[in-house]
Amino acid sequence: MKALTLQQIRQAVGGRALSTLPKQSPPITAVCTDTRRMEPSSLFIALRGDNYNANNFIPQAAAGGAIAALVEEIPDVSLPNVHLIKVDNTRTALGKLATYVRKGLKSKVIAVAGSNGKTSTKHLIHAALSGKLDGSISPKSYNNDIGVPLTILPANPTQDYLVLEMGTNHHGEIKVLSDMALPDIAVITNVGAEHLEGLDDLMGVRRENANIVSGLNPRGCLIVNGDDRELVAAVQHYEGTIVTFGFGEHNDLFATDVEWDHAGTRFNLNGSRRTVTVPMIGRHSAANALAALAVARRVGVSEEEAIADLAHSSGPDMRMQRHELGTLTLINDAYNANPNSMRAALETVAGLPASGRRVAILGDMRELGDAAERYHRELGAFVAECKFDLLLCVGADAKLYADAARTAGMPEQSIHHYGDAKQLAGDVAQHIRKNDLVLLKASRSVRLEEVAKVLLHGEERGTRMAAG
């Protein structure tokens, strides 16, 4: 992070110092919102939530190294060694400070939005660029109005690039993040039925993600999934360069001859014999790799270098993450789920070679509003269509998977329903056999990682699975 004076911080956030700010105070070299992760010479931002008020933790922040704090109210305890700057809203002030810092970056700022594949695409972009350039990406899924500024603030101001992830579950979020980060390059991976409780319908999702152009450099570049013609139409007003990618040959970058196995995904670029390989499985991984190649082209990394580096990329945890557990193979995609990502995961596992049964462990897809029943039933029928041998369902809505799969012809004895992940975790070893290929997929709140732990630790301890 570039060091900031207290005067610079006060001006950036439009705050009021509660005492005279010393002109020769030590510079701020870190920004923290969590007292458990404080650093020396840091600024503590006292965020307020529904169930907490960090204003009460300023003494702990000071003990951890804070020398200043942004607050919404005068704290009960006054500390002479902590300089206080009062703002109307600390969360908004965090964003203002991030914008101030972003304007001082020499880096190309790259923002990734979309319904699915944001985190994986972010990792692929980093892989495609990092062989030649110096840069960083947001940790984990730091993709909201707290995570994005906490990615911008510590960035090295002289690095070549910074990749941000931008998520949304209600109207207006992407615009706020784009206006905050002022990206030079933006990627929209795809649009699908997600967060419909807050975004209304599929066109609402398109319009929300299209808002990434709000803060995008007008002389920059928008990289968009060209297989969604309505999405392309929604961003046509952008003044800069628009590059499309996808599977249709009308795109600027397109993938043909897509194949995948347990080692990864391969495809040919733009119908040529130039093969791209990524160690992530599934047809959707080819689309994500195309987006990464488009970014590499824009920042001057040669296609040859980018393709070579993509072959050695690594993906995030719990996104089609493969574990070889003796003869059992576990595909953990339990970080989140919506109808498109669920269908992609099922299609991917159905297309993998398997010496034993294919098992789908599926939990609820949340925040689908009035469309929840429709999408759960469609996915249940798709499980049967993909000819999975066993379906284990978790959650109230997941019962609809079971009903639809049964109606679509999947045998009754091959379908089981559980109320929650804890219940299934207690029984899962009875269902799984050696040589099984197992998919875990659900919305994050279902907590299917509890089931994953049983399978992972059970194999490590040599726990016997059901007889084959």
Side-chain angles (χ1 to χ4, degrees), residues 329-352:
T329 300
L330 174 65
I331 307 295
N332 187 353
D333 197 30
Y335 186 83
N336 218 333
N338 58 44
N340 281 12
S341 68
M342 186 75 81
R343 185 175 288 268
L346 290 166
E347 178 186 57
T348 297
V349 173
L352 287 173

Side-chain angles (χ1 to χ4, degrees), residues 232-302:
V232 174
V235 298
Q236 279 302 312
H237 62 283
Y238 174 59
E239 298 175 6
T241 301
I242 297 178
V243 175
T244 60
F245 69 93
F247 299 104
E249 294 187 9
H250 62 279
N251 290 297
D252 297 307
L253 286 87
F254 60 91
T256 60
D257 308 302
V258 182
E259 298 177 345
W260 64 90
D261 56 25
H262 290 283
T265 301
R266 296 166 300 282
F267 64 91
N268 290 333
L269 179 61
N270 284 17
S272 69
R273 293 186 179 181
R274 176 166 291 178
T275 301
V276 180
T277 301
V278 290
M280 302 175 188
I281 57 175
R283 180 177 170 86
H284 57 285
S285 296
N288 296 340
L290 289 172
L293 288 172
V295 172
R297 282 184 176 182
R298 181 68 183 184
V299 299
V301 175
S302 73

Side-chain angles (χ1 to χ4, degrees), residues 198-212:
L199 296 175
D200 304 324
D201 54 24
L202 198 54
M203 278 308 301
V205 180
R206 285 192 182 95
R207 286 192 294 268
E208 172 63 12
N209 280 281
N211 279 335
I212 201 167

Side-chain angles (χ1 to χ4, degrees), residues 73-185:
E73 58 194 58
I74 300 174
D76 295 333
V77 179
S78 177
L79 298 174
N81 57 333
V82 178
H83 303 287
L84 302 179
I85 298 173
K86 187 176 182 302
V87 295
D88 292 334
N89 185 300
T90 50
R91 192 160 177 159
T92 301
L94 174 63
K96 289 180 178 179
L97 184 60
T99 300
Y100 177 84
V101 169
R102 185 269 173 268
K103 289 178 179 178
L105 297 179
K106 295 181 180 178
S107 318
K108 290 289 186 184
V109 174
I110 303 158
V112 183
S115 296
N116 302 302
K118 293 184 293 295
T119 307
S120 296
T121 301
K122 176 182 68 180
H123 280 260
L124 288 169
I125 291 169
H126 189 38
L129 304 187
S130 59
K132 183 179 179 182
L133 305 175
D134 176 46
S136 61
I137 64 176
S138 57
K140 300 182 180 179
S141 292
Y142 274 32
N143 62 17
N144 65 4
D145 63 340
I146 296 176
V148 169
L150 289 180
T151 303
I152 294 171
L153 290 167
N156 181 337
T158 63
Q159 68 187 28
D160 299 309
Y161 66 88
L162 173 64
V163 188
L164 305 172
E165 184 177 337
M166 296 184 176
T168 180
N169 60 15
H170 63 265
H171 291 297
E173 278 192 287
I174 293 293
K175 183 182 188 304
V176 167
L177 298 176
S178 182
D179 290 345
M180 177 195 302
L182 303 173
D184 300 292
I185 301 170

Side-chain angles (χ1 to χ4, degrees), residues 359-400:
V359 179
I361 301 179
L362 308 181
D364 289 352
M365 298 180 290
R366 301 281 167 81
E367 298 184 46
L368 292 177
D370 294 339
E373 179 174 353
R374 167 196 162 191
Y375 284 118
H376 282 85
R377 289 193 182 279
E378 286 181 0
L379 266 298
F382 192 62
V383 172
E385 181 183 329
C386 290
K387 301 191 182 304
F388 275 77
D389 300 288
L390 179 65
L391 172 61
L392 305 178
C393 308
V394 181
D397 285 338
K399 190 175 186 300
L400 299 169

